[in-house]
Amino acid sequence: MTKVAWVRHGSTPWNKEKRAQGSSDIPLDEEGKADARKLAERLHKETWDVLYSSPLKRAKQTAAFISEKVGLDIQFDSRIVEASGGQIEGTTEPERIEKWGEDWRSLDLSIETPESVVSRGMAFMDDVLRKHAGKKVIVVSHGALISHLLRELDSENVRDEHMKNTSLSEVHLREEQWFCDRFNCTIHLD
């Protein structure tokens, strides 16, 4: 059975400041590194076959901790980068309201659409299934991409909630259908 564990990267300074990150290349903060180490320790308790990561620093750094602990080389794939935030990247909600007004979400600010995010995420999943059928795969990515993609794969079992930093969500392929058996789990931080 093919199993894919989706991991959101550890925390960054912009996470703490509630700034839109999108495709901006922000590194982990110290808490993010510590949490990524805890996650790596959790993943070390299982056997994994493949490790993928977004090439953005925050995901790459998280994947490096996992790679070291589980003994897998990291394969980078640009299709699993975060949804582009367009002109809002680097801004907070109050800054967006000040700059574009209360209705900023209705403006064309070059923000990537959910459909675009799902399209590239599904293309990635198709390749994973083709190359690694029956394997256990870890994918380190970003909150919006993971959230949109998991809802596309299994809308019945995936809640519409904020993805926590270093959260683990697992999907399994059974009878040609993806099922999310674990969602947004951070027990390694408790």
Side-chain angles (χ1 to χ4, degrees):
M1 178 187 338
T2 306
K3 171 180 171 178
V4 181
W6 284 90
V7 170
R8 184 180 181 211
H9 61 80
S11 66
T12 71
W14 280 19
N15 286 137
K16 302 271 188 338
E17 296 167 11
K18 298 191 181 329
R19 293 190 180 280
Q21 293 183 113
S23 55
S24 297
D25 207 8
I26 310 304
L28 297 177
D29 59 20
E30 289 309 310
E31 180 183 2
K33 292 175 187 175
D35 290 350
R37 285 185 190 96
K38 292 174 186 174
L39 173 65
E41 188 62 43
R42 174 184 181 179
L43 292 169
H44 174 65
K45 295 174 183 170
E46 293 184 56
T47 302
W48 298 92
D49 301 303
V50 184
L51 173 59
Y52 281 96
S53 177
S54 154
L56 295 177
K57 277 181 199 157
R58 56 196 185 269
K60 195 187 299 188
Q61 289 176 303
T62 302
F65 289 111
I66 295 168
S67 170
E68 183 181 318
K69 203 70 181 165
V70 301
L72 294 172
D73 291 333
I74 306 168
Q75 299 179 52
F76 296 100
D77 195 306
S78 60
R79 293 175 295 183
I80 55 174
V81 298
E82 181 60 296
S84 172
Q87 295 176 51
I88 73 163
E89 288 189 16
T91 66
T92 63
E93 179 73 10
E95 290 168 347
R96 291 189 282 276
I97 291 169
E98 182 179 319
K99 188 168 186 172
W100 296 294
E102 291 280 344
D103 294 332
W104 67 267
R105 285 179 180 80
S106 66
L107 302 175
D108 180 5
L109 299 173
S110 303
I111 298 168
E112 185 176 7
T113 66
E115 294 79 18
S116 171
V117 175
V118 167
S119 175
R120 59 185 170 83
M122 290 302 288
F124 170 79
M125 286 296 284
D126 290 345
D127 281 351
V128 165
L129 191 54
R130 186 175 48 79
K131 293 177 184 174
H132 311 294
K135 302 287 186 186
K136 293 172 68 176
V137 181
I138 301 169
V139 183
V140 182
S141 187
H142 307 270
L145 181 130
I146 294 169
S147 181
H148 288 307
L149 188 59
L150 292 180
R151 282 197 303 275
E152 179 72 17
L153 294 171
D154 184 1
S155 60
E156 289 183 25
N157 294 308
V158 175
R159 300 176 299 281
D160 187 10
E161 68 182 45
H162 176 77
M163 300 301 293
K164 299 174 210 154
N165 290 107
T166 71
S167 65
L168 179 67
S169 299
E170 293 179 358
V171 291
H172 296 82
L173 187 67
R174 294 192 291 269
E175 299 172 11
E176 304 300 313
Q177 176 70 42
W178 288 104
F179 294 93
C180 186
D181 297 324
R182 179 172 290 144
F183 177 70
N184 208 12
C185 179
T186 55
I187 59 171
H188 51 280
L189 301 180
D190 296 337

